[in-house]
Structures are given as structure tokens and as C-alpha cells.
Amino acid sequence: MDFLNDLNKSQLEAVKHTDGPSLVIAGAGSGKTRVLTYKIAYLLSKGVSPASILALTFTNKAAREMRKRIGELVGYQTSKYLWMGTFHSIFSRILRSEAQLIGFTKDFTIYDTSDSKSLIKSIIKELQLDDKIYKPGNIFSKISFAKNNLFSAQSYFDNPDFLKADTHSKVPRTREIYAIYANRCKQANAMDFDDLLLQTNLLFRNNPEILEKYQHIFNFVLVDEYQDTNFAQYLIVKKLSEKHERICVVGDDAQSIYSFRGANIDNILKFQQTYQHATLFKLEQNYRSTQTIVNAANSLIDKNAKQIKKTIFSKEKVGNLIQVSNVLTDFEEAFMVANSIKDLKRKEEHSYKDFAVLYRTNSQSRVMEEALRKQNIPYRIYGGLSFYQRKEIKDVIAYFRLISNNDDEEALKRIINYPARGIGSVTLEKLSATAQTHNVSIWTVLSDMLKYNLNVNAGTANKLAQFRDMIAVFSQQIQILDAYELANNIVKTTGVIADAMHDKSAESLSRIDNVQELLKAIYEFSETKKNEEGMDIVLLPEFLSEVSLLTDQDETKDENDDKVTLMTVHASKGLEFRTVYIVGMEEQLFPSPFAKSPDEIEEERRLFYVAITRAEENCFISYSKSRFRNGQTNFSNPSRFLKDIDNQYLEYIQNEVLDSRSTSSFNRWDDDIEIERNRFRQTPFRSARSATASSTQQFSRKLMKINSADDDKKTVDNARYPVGSFVKHAIFGIGKVIETSISNGNEKAEIDFGEKGVKSLLLKFAKLEKLD
DNA sequence: TGTGGATGCCTTTTT
DNA sequence: GGCATCCACA
């Protein structure tokens, strides 16, 4: 067990404690994942069977990385038998194998958030309620909250407190919506994300012998990011480890930032009350950041009342002070960051991937993106639409879902008229109404339209029958045909991409690309399964069950991809960067105006703590006097949190040049060279070593308009307006195309309109005329 | 059944 | 400012 030498004293103690409950409080950068992986490796090397260890994480990525590291320590043949994964994936697996006990089949669909909301929306409509008052998103949150706290539809309905609260918020019929929603999910043989946890609890509660079976299988239970667990997760873990109490939870209360999703920080704060014999371990040495950064973060989090006291320290170098800059507009802020990145990259041998720009809200990325692009700095934005959220992908997957589970109502609604086959909303409403009156699924009505007296004309009935038969044929093949082969057939037969093939627009091309990409993913998935698990054939439902639990968060960062990272603070948790910029440190933004109660303010403070502790060497904070938001300029004050950081760790940078001039005379996106030149001179973030402005070299490159290095957005080869060609725009006049790209499936061009500036235009909107 | 103009609304989002 | 949604119309 040589590998234990890699650990420090407190890490080692935590790893070696294997009997009885333990709580490991792991400060930022203290080697939390290391303790978990080594603990599991330690158990395995002591002869514990991998199949008796349950390790729960919050992201697939975390699970994947941990399994990989354990594999490196003890061998892949052992690590592959670990029960390691997200709460949702592990318990969906268990629910599938016990499905008949709770009235589902093993091929149940998992509804994603948009499926859930769309179902709730139709229920609200059916009940003839006003969706301005009964907002689907709002009702969904209420249901989600209830499920996370283990209130089933029945117990919600019977609970006078909920009725009182809902009446107070003017939505007294929420309980009916919840009841109908639950019924419809069951009818559709579907579970939403929250159901996976709720149903697991119900399964264990109503079937003691099943609970016992899993208590027996899992001899050791480990949980990562315990501060982010909700009540449903807390109880599952508690029940499973009830007999032996060999439970180890790891987390950091100071990094609990997901209460809005039901996470309950009390789970970690009160762990020692729940498990009376729990041993507490604190990992207090931070290996990531400079002393200044660690001390600054400590002084900030110290202002929170709710926390487990700990003394995080660093033995790294003291490092630079945190620079706090004040600017006039969000635009200057973005430009300043871009300049600072260029500066540091040159002077401190940073790569682009050593930088991260963190913000409170996704909408702040736009202005940042613009500034980086103008400076030819490659970047990658995390968040936003993931691959699996794209329309064409959701459409194809809806076919897979419906074929795999004929009762999947949301899938059916999505594709019954896509591609268009003359089944309109009127017909769909009739179908839906008929299904509701007989309390059956829409598919059941389709299978016997006469019996259910479906009131449609012969032509429509014929179209419906055709659609039904097409799906039914595939459904028969699903247990026989290989996933990839079937998926290919489905895509071809249904004509999802056939119409896209006709026109050669960039949008349809990228749509076809994406569908091809999906097919490729299915192919790779089956090949991996065949190789690793020795399966002869991989069926489509297996792919489906995995894909519904995937998120964009799961794409791993490519180390060879040298780009600046742009993301929300939430998304940055667990990551680290040499230099971090925290932008928009203003009241009404950070803390979010939605945070009102003291508890919510504390969570925002923890969020700021997370942001600061991402930095290894340099941390830059900025706030702006004005910010362009929701179509208007808002003025704001510096965030109250700045005062929470001990002044000795901060360096306020005065920005006299900006203060002396009025921004009002400047066009926001004006590319005027004089303005650019001024901006270059005004880099308020001084480089860590010297305060000189950027080089003329960069400036001339800018003037030469070298294309953005952002190859994330693929250049369009057969663009309508090739790079270098001239076009005419109704407002901007004549311009030269300097770059074409595809962004979210839309063809985009950067066009230089001379004195009117460089504009980034979406070709489907901009009516351009090509000049030769 | 599909479209286009007017209207209304915006946080964060591990699954 | 930008997107989704809704209603009016072809």
C-alpha cells in the first residue's frame, strides 16, 4: 500500500478510518477527491469486494474521474465492479431492476426538466387555469421541492400546510396539478429526475426485504459533495447504511451553493447529530492557492454564521494581492480583462487555459465574449445549450424513446407531427382528451381508435394509423436489433433528416452533422459496452437509459485545448486555474437580487468564496458603475461582499483615465481606432510583475484583423459569403467579410463595415447582398 | 397548418 | 437586448 505515502497526516487518518461513520470536512483545494479515491483503494487493497462499495457523486464526470484514478491505483479489473456513479444513475439502475414492484416497467423513460414542464403546462391548460398565474416553471419547482422532501402527490394533497402556502401564493390548485402530473407520469411509464430519488425511498419504505437486500450488498457507503445532498438523498444514504453505519461523507459546508435545487446544508452541519458515533476529520491544508488567496477567502467566509469552524491554511508562497478594479461600464470591464489576459500570458508564461473568467449569470458572458474575440483570444464558454438539448437531437431521441416506451407521452407529442405529416394540434388535442377520459395513454388510444371512439375524419385516422404502424414496427425490433443499426434505420425511415437534406443551408447542414454525431455516439457506446462487458449485442434502451442522465457538465475539458474558460461561478466548483477573473462584483448582481433572507445572502457569500478559491496564483475582481442589462443601462454600487474581505489582502486599483471621461459619447461597439487605442492604455489590472500597457505588436495585430482563433465555431467552408468577399447591408453599407462561423447552428459572419465598425451578424436575419 | 408581428419575461441549474 | 410565446391572419 505504497500509495498511502502520498497523503498528509489528516488525509491519512481520514482514509484509514473505515469502521463507523465519518465526516470529512474538506476545505477548498485540500485534496478531497484524493481522500475519497484513496479510501476506496485502501478498502480494496484490504480485500473488500468492489461490488460491496457504493460511492455516490453528483456528476458523472466526478464518478468517471474517480473510477479512473482508483483503477490506476488498484487495477481496472477491480475498479470496474465498484458501484460508483451519481445518485440518479445508481438509483435509476436499481429502480429498473425492481421496476415491477412500483408499477413501472424496466424501460421507463426519464423525463428531463423540459418534458416535466411541458407536461405540467398541458395539465394547467386542461384544468383551464391561467398560466400567467400558474406558471409551469413555478409549479414544477413546487413539485420538485415536495419530492425532494419526500412528499408524494397523495401526501402533498392531504397536507393542509401546503394548501395554505399555495393559497397564499395564489396557486391553491397546485396539489391537483401535482396529483395529475404524478398520474400522467405513471401512465407514461416515466419518471422525472426527482422521482428517481422519491421512488427509491418509496421502494425501500414499502418493501423492507428489498431495502435489506441492498443494505446487505453495500457494506461501505461513501458520498462526495455531501453539503449538496437534499433530504431524499440523505434518507437513502441513511437507510442503506443503517445496519453497519460504515458511511463516510466528504464535503465542505463553505461550498454549499445549490440550495435552490433542494440541497440542505444542515445535512452536513448536523451529521454528527444524525450519526452519534461519527468521527470528524478536517482537511485544512490548501495545496492549491497562495496564502493571500486562502487568507482573503477565509476572511470572507468568516462573516457567515452557519458553518463548521475550520482553519484553512496554505504553505504555498504568499503571492500577489487580490486586485480590485472599478470601471465605468461592463464593456470596459470586459476589455480590461481581455487586455490583462494578453499581458499576463506574455509576461508570466501563462497559457490561455490557465485563465478563467467567472460571472454570476450567464448573460454576462456576451460582452466578455465580444472583447475576447476582438482581441483574438481563444475562449470556451461552458454552460448554455448542451448537445443533448438541441432540437434535432431531442427529436431523434424522442423517436427512440417512443419506440422503446410507447406510452411516453412527451416523446409522442414531440414527434407525432415531426417531420410534418398532417397531424395538427386539433387532432393531438382530441387524442389527448380521449386518452384522459379513459385514463389511458395516447398510444393506447392510437392502438384502437374505434374502441375509444376517436372523433377524427378518415384521412386523419389514416395518417395516425400510418404513424402508429411505423412506430410499432420499430418497437418490435428494439429487443432484437443492434442499437446502432436500429438507430440508423429510424433516422432514415422517419425522415428526420430527409427534409434537411433538401436545402443546403448552414443550419440544416449542422443539423445533419449533429444527428450523425449522435449516431456515432451510439456506435461508440455499443462498442465500449461490447468490449468492456463482453456483450454480444447492445440494445437501444441501454443507450437511452444512460443518455437521459447525461449533461453538458460532463464533457471533460480537453487539456490540449488552449482556451480561456468562461463560466458561471456555479459551474466552476471543483475546478482550478492559475489566474481567475471575477467580474460584475456589484450589488443587484452578486449577491443576486433574488437572495433576500440572511440564509440566501450567506449562500451568495459562499458562492463568492467558491469563486475566489478557484484561483491558484492570481485573482482579479472587478465591478462596474453601469451595466447593460435587460435592454437598459443600470447603475450599481460595489458588492457588499468586497467589504467582507480583509483589506490587507486587497489592492484597489484606481482608474483615473476612465474616471475623467464620459462614456456617453462612445458607441458601445464602436470600433474606432482612437477609442481602441485609449482602451489599450487603460488596463487597470496591472500585470503581476509590472504595470506597463500592452504592446504595439498586439495592437497592430488587432488592426490587421487576424481572424479569431476561436475554432470552436467551425468555419463554414461553402459559406454564402466567403471570407474576403464584399457585401452590402441595408443600414451599415458596404463591408468586407472577415470571418464566417456557425454558432448554435446559425451561420454567422464578422463583417467589417469600415467606419461603421465590425459587426457580427446572423445571416438568417441580416439581409445581405453579395457584391463581386 | 404555418407565419409574423406584438407582448412579456428575464438567476444560479451537479441530475 | 433577445428569446419564447401567443394570437391574428393567409
Side-chain angles (χ1 to χ4, degrees), chain A residues 261-419:
Chain A
R261 292 189 51 87
N264 185 357
I265 192 173
D266 287 336
N267 288 346
I268 194 165
L269 294 178
K270 295 188 176 156
F271 185 83
Q272 292 179 90
Q273 280 155 257
T274 311
Y275 297 89
Q276 299 276 330
H277 305 291
T279 315
L280 172 69
F281 298 95
K282 289 184 187 175
L283 308 181
E284 297 179 303
Q285 181 168 1
N286 176 309
Y287 291 95
R288 176 188 297 154
S289 315
T290 63
Q291 292 185 28
T292 302
I293 289 167
V294 168
N295 292 338
N298 283 344
S299 71
L300 168 77
I301 205 67
D302 199 43
K303 308 298 184 293
N304 268 11
K306 261 190 167 184
Q307 59 176 309
I308 296 173
K309 280 288 169 201
K310 49 194 159 311
T311 321
I312 308 297
F313 65 96
S314 162
K315 286 186 181 168
E316 308 297 302
K317 57 185 181 184
V318 175
N320 302 315
L321 293 175
I322 294 179
Q323 290 186 20
V324 182
S325 291
N326 177 13
V327 289
L328 279 181
T329 68
D330 47 353
F331 180 83
E332 327 264 4
E333 181 180 54
F335 226 90
M336 172 177 83
V337 169
N339 280 330
S340 172
I341 289 172
K342 285 218 144 175
D343 241 26
L344 273 179
K345 180 168 190 288
R346 198 162 40 87
K347 295 190 186 110
E348 298 217 344
E349 298 172 329
H350 272 60
S351 304
Y352 285 124
K353 65 171 185 287
D354 294 326
F355 296 98
V357 184
L358 308 182
Y359 34 77
R360 180 65 182 79
T361 64
N362 273 317
S363 61
Q364 289 167 261
S365 69
R366 177 172 269 115
V367 66
M368 206 50 243
E369 203 181 344
E370 198 72 41
L372 292 176
R373 208 203 320 264
K374 287 195 176 188
Q375 295 275 51
N376 298 320
I377 297 171
Y379 59 88
R380 167 119 166 67
I381 296 186
Y382 290 77
L385 264 200
S386 76
F387 181 73
Y388 289 102
Q389 311 264 37
R390 293 194 182 147
K391 188 191 171 298
E392 61 273 21
I393 300 303
K394 292 198 76 163
D395 289 337
V396 174
I397 287 182
Y399 273 102
F400 297 166
R401 274 169 51 179
L402 182 63
I403 287 161
S404 161
N405 168 18
N406 293 156
D407 295 323
D408 186 333
E409 181 178 334
E410 293 308 306
L412 182 137
K413 281 184 184 164
R414 196 178 173 94
I415 53 164
I416 193 164
N417 197 33
Y418 181 82

Side-chain angles (χ1 to χ4, degrees), chain A residues 490-548:
Chain A
I490 295 169
V491 168
K492 275 193 205 121
T493 316
T494 56
V496 187
I497 56 171
D499 58 349
M501 294 293 237
H502 288 304
D503 74 306
K504 285 277 189 286
S505 76
E507 281 113 82
S508 355
L509 285 178
S510 92
R511 215 171 287 153
I512 295 168
D513 264 6
N514 286 333
V515 174
Q516 296 298 349
E517 196 62 32
L518 176 68
L519 291 174
K520 201 176 122 206
I522 297 173
Y523 181 76
E524 281 164 5
F525 173 83
S526 351
E527 287 305 297
T528 318
K529 279 255 159 175
K530 285 176 193 165
N531 289 335
E532 283 182 3
E533 294 172 26
M535 299 165 104
D536 296 331
I537 183 167
V538 175
L539 302 173
L540 199 53
E542 287 191 61
F543 175 76
L544 272 184
S545 69
E546 295 240 339
V547 96
S548 45

